[in-house]
Protein backbone atom coordinates (compact mmCIF):
# COMPACT_ATOMS: atom_id res chain seq x y z
CA UNK A 1 0.00 0.00 0.00
CA UNK A 2 2.78 2.42 0.86
CA UNK A 3 4.51 1.73 -2.48
CA UNK A 4 1.58 2.92 -4.59
CA UNK A 5 2.64 5.07 -7.49
CA UNK A 6 0.96 6.77 -10.42
CA UNK A 7 1.42 3.41 -12.19
CA UNK A 8 -0.86 1.74 -9.66
CA UNK A 9 -4.53 2.72 -9.64
CA UNK A 10 -6.08 2.00 -6.24
CA UNK A 11 -9.87 1.94 -6.08
CA UNK A 12 -11.24 1.52 -2.57
CA UNK A 13 -14.69 2.96 -3.11
CA UNK A 14 -17.70 2.38 -5.36
CA UNK A 15 -17.27 3.69 -8.89
CA UNK A 16 -19.61 3.65 -11.91
CA UNK A 17 -19.57 0.36 -13.83
CA UNK A 18 -18.15 1.96 -16.98
CA UNK A 19 -15.19 3.33 -15.00
CA UNK A 20 -14.71 -0.07 -13.37
CA UNK A 21 -14.54 -1.77 -16.78
CA UNK A 22 -12.25 0.95 -18.18
CA UNK A 23 -9.78 0.53 -15.31
CA UNK A 24 -9.50 -3.22 -15.88
CA UNK A 25 -9.37 -2.87 -19.67
CA UNK A 26 -6.53 -0.34 -19.46
CA UNK A 27 -4.50 -2.21 -16.84
CA UNK A 28 -1.57 -4.55 -17.37
CA UNK A 29 -2.15 -6.21 -13.99
CA UNK A 30 -4.76 -6.27 -11.27
CA UNK A 31 -4.71 -7.55 -7.72
CA UNK A 32 -6.89 -10.41 -6.62
CA UNK A 33 -6.86 -10.16 -2.84
CA UNK A 34 -8.22 -12.64 -0.34
CA UNK A 35 -11.68 -11.69 0.81
CA UNK A 36 -14.49 -12.99 2.97
CA UNK A 37 -15.23 -15.87 0.59
CA UNK A 38 -13.13 -18.36 -1.34
CA UNK A 39 -14.48 -17.15 -4.66
CA UNK A 40 -15.03 -13.75 -6.22
CA UNK A 41 -16.06 -12.65 -9.72
CA UNK A 42 -13.20 -10.10 -9.62
CA UNK A 43 -10.79 -12.92 -10.42
CA UNK A 44 -12.44 -13.43 -13.80
CA UNK A 45 -13.53 -9.87 -14.59
CA UNK A 46 -9.97 -8.64 -14.96
CA UNK A 47 -8.95 -11.72 -16.95
CA UNK A 48 -11.81 -11.28 -19.42
CA UNK A 49 -10.75 -7.68 -19.93
CA UNK A 50 -7.13 -8.68 -20.66
CA UNK A 51 -5.33 -7.80 -17.42
CA UNK A 52 -2.92 -10.27 -15.83
CA UNK A 53 -4.14 -11.34 -12.37
CA UNK A 54 -1.75 -10.86 -9.47
CA UNK A 55 -3.10 -13.36 -7.00
CA UNK A 56 -2.17 -12.68 -3.40
CA UNK A 57 -2.91 -15.87 -1.52
CA UNK A 58 -2.64 -17.63 1.79
CA UNK A 59 -4.33 -20.97 1.32
CA UNK A 60 -6.26 -20.65 -1.89
CA UNK A 61 -7.15 -23.33 -4.41
CA UNK A 62 -7.61 -21.69 -7.79
CA UNK A 63 -10.32 -22.90 -10.17
CA UNK A 64 -9.14 -25.82 -12.31
CA UNK A 65 -5.70 -25.73 -10.66
CA UNK A 66 -5.64 -29.50 -11.01
CA UNK A 67 -5.71 -28.96 -14.80
CA UNK A 68 -4.29 -25.50 -15.57
CA UNK A 69 -0.89 -24.07 -14.72
CA UNK A 70 -1.94 -20.70 -13.31
CA UNK A 71 1.67 -19.51 -13.15
CA UNK A 72 1.68 -19.47 -16.96
CA UNK A 73 -0.93 -16.68 -17.11
CA UNK A 74 -0.98 -15.11 -13.63
CA UNK A 75 1.44 -13.82 -11.01
CA UNK A 76 1.09 -15.90 -7.85
CA UNK A 77 2.33 -14.18 -4.71
CA UNK A 78 2.30 -16.14 -1.43
CA UNK A 79 1.45 -14.35 1.79
CA UNK A 80 5.11 -14.28 2.85
CA UNK A 81 5.95 -12.14 -0.22
CA UNK A 82 3.08 -9.63 -0.16
CA UNK A 83 5.30 -6.78 0.96
CA UNK A 84 7.46 -7.37 -2.14
CA UNK A 85 4.66 -7.46 -4.69
CA UNK A 86 5.56 -4.15 -6.36
CA UNK A 87 9.20 -5.23 -6.64
CA UNK A 88 8.07 -8.55 -8.12
CA UNK A 89 5.96 -6.75 -10.73
CA UNK A 90 8.71 -4.27 -11.59
CA UNK A 91 11.02 -7.19 -12.44
CA UNK A 92 8.70 -8.59 -15.11
CA UNK A 93 10.21 -7.74 -18.47
CA UNK A 94 8.31 -7.35 -21.73
CA UNK A 95 9.11 -10.90 -22.85
CA UNK A 96 7.62 -12.42 -19.66
CA UNK A 97 4.63 -10.06 -19.80
CA UNK A 98 3.90 -11.08 -23.42
CA UNK A 99 4.23 -14.75 -22.42
CA UNK A 100 1.67 -14.26 -19.63
CA UNK A 101 -0.62 -12.22 -21.88
CA UNK A 102 -0.61 -14.83 -24.68
CA UNK A 103 -1.27 -17.65 -22.23
CA UNK A 104 -4.08 -15.67 -20.61
CA UNK A 105 -5.73 -15.27 -24.02
CA UNK A 106 -5.51 -19.05 -24.48
CA UNK A 107 -6.70 -19.88 -20.95
CA UNK A 108 -9.69 -17.56 -20.81
CA UNK A 109 -11.85 -19.89 -22.93
CA UNK A 110 -11.74 -22.43 -20.09
CA UNK A 111 -13.67 -20.03 -17.83
CA UNK A 112 -16.56 -19.37 -20.24
CA UNK A 113 -19.89 -21.20 -20.06
CA UNK A 114 -22.07 -21.63 -23.13
CA UNK A 115 -25.77 -22.52 -23.46
CA UNK A 116 -24.63 -25.63 -25.29
CA UNK A 117 -21.28 -26.72 -23.81
CA UNK A 118 -18.32 -26.86 -26.18
CA UNK A 119 -15.15 -28.89 -25.58
CA UNK A 120 -12.72 -27.01 -23.35
CA UNK A 121 -15.22 -24.53 -21.92
CA UNK A 122 -16.00 -24.13 -18.21
CA UNK A 123 -18.58 -26.93 -18.23
CA UNK A 124 -16.07 -29.42 -19.62
CA UNK A 125 -13.34 -28.12 -17.30
CA UNK A 126 -15.65 -28.52 -14.31
CA UNK A 127 -16.51 -32.10 -15.30
CA UNK A 128 -12.84 -32.94 -15.87
CA UNK A 129 -11.86 -31.38 -12.54
CA UNK A 130 -14.54 -33.37 -10.70
CA UNK A 131 -13.40 -36.55 -12.45
CA UNK A 132 -9.74 -35.95 -11.53
CA UNK A 133 -10.58 -35.15 -7.90
CA UNK A 134 -12.88 -38.17 -7.62
CA UNK A 135 -10.19 -40.40 -9.14
CA UNK A 136 -7.61 -39.00 -6.71
CA UNK A 137 -9.94 -39.51 -3.74
CA UNK A 138 -10.72 -43.05 -4.88
CA UNK A 139 -6.99 -43.76 -5.02
CA UNK A 140 -6.54 -42.38 -1.52
CA UNK A 141 -9.42 -44.38 -0.05
CA UNK A 142 -8.28 -47.65 -1.71
CA UNK A 143 -4.75 -47.09 -0.45
CA UNK A 144 -6.08 -46.41 3.03
CA UNK A 145 -8.21 -49.57 2.98
CA UNK A 146 -5.23 -51.59 1.74
CA UNK A 147 -3.10 -50.35 4.61
CA UNK A 148 -5.65 -51.44 7.24
Amino acid sequence: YSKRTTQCKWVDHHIPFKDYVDIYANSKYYFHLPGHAEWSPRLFEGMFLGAIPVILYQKYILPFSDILDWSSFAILVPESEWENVFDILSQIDEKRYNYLQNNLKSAIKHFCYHKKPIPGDAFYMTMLSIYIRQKNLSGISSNTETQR
Side-chain angles (χ1 to χ4, degrees), residues 3-135:
K3 292 189 177 184
R4 287 191 297 177
T5 68
T6 55
Q7 295 177 314
C8 180
K9 178 81 172 174
W10 190 272
V11 179
D12 56 1
H13 59 281
H14 180 75
I15 59 174
F17 182 73
K18 183 191 177 315
D19 294 344
Y20 179 79
V21 169
D22 286 345
I23 288 170
Y24 273 125
N26 293 307
S27 298
K28 288 178 76 171
Y29 305 102
Y30 71 96
F31 291 115
H32 180 68
L33 306 166
H36 298 291
E38 287 294 316
W39 183 87
S40 167
R42 285 185 316 274
L43 176 59
F44 304 104
E45 290 167 345
M47 290 169 51
F48 282 110
L49 291 166
I52 304 294
V54 178
I55 301 169
L56 306 175
Y57 67 94
Q58 296 169 10
K59 295 177 184 174
Y60 186 59
I61 299 172
L62 292 163
F64 313 134
S65 60
D66 47 352
I67 304 166
L68 299 176
D69 176 9
W70 277 79
S71 66
S72 70
F73 58 89
I75 307 297
L76 306 175
V77 183
E79 181 179 19
S80 61
E81 294 294 318
W82 287 3
E83 65 186 38
N84 302 319
V85 71
F86 290 101
D87 296 329
I88 292 167
L89 292 176
S90 69
Q91 293 174 12
I92 297 173
D93 61 15
E94 188 174 343
K95 183 178 177 182
R96 173 79 175 145
Y97 175 78
N98 289 334
Y99 169 81
L100 293 166
Q101 189 73 43
N102 289 332
N103 288 338
L104 177 63
K105 288 175 186 175
S106 296
I108 202 69
K109 66 184 173 212
H110 300 303
F111 300 99
C112 295
Y113 285 94
H114 299 88
K115 283 186 178 183
K116 182 178 178 188
I118 60 172
D121 75 355
F123 175 80
Y124 276 87
M125 293 295 284
T126 301
M127 295 298 105
L128 179 58
S129 185
I130 290 169
Y131 170 76
I132 289 170
R133 290 175 189 198
Q134 184 275 330
K135 189 175 176 182

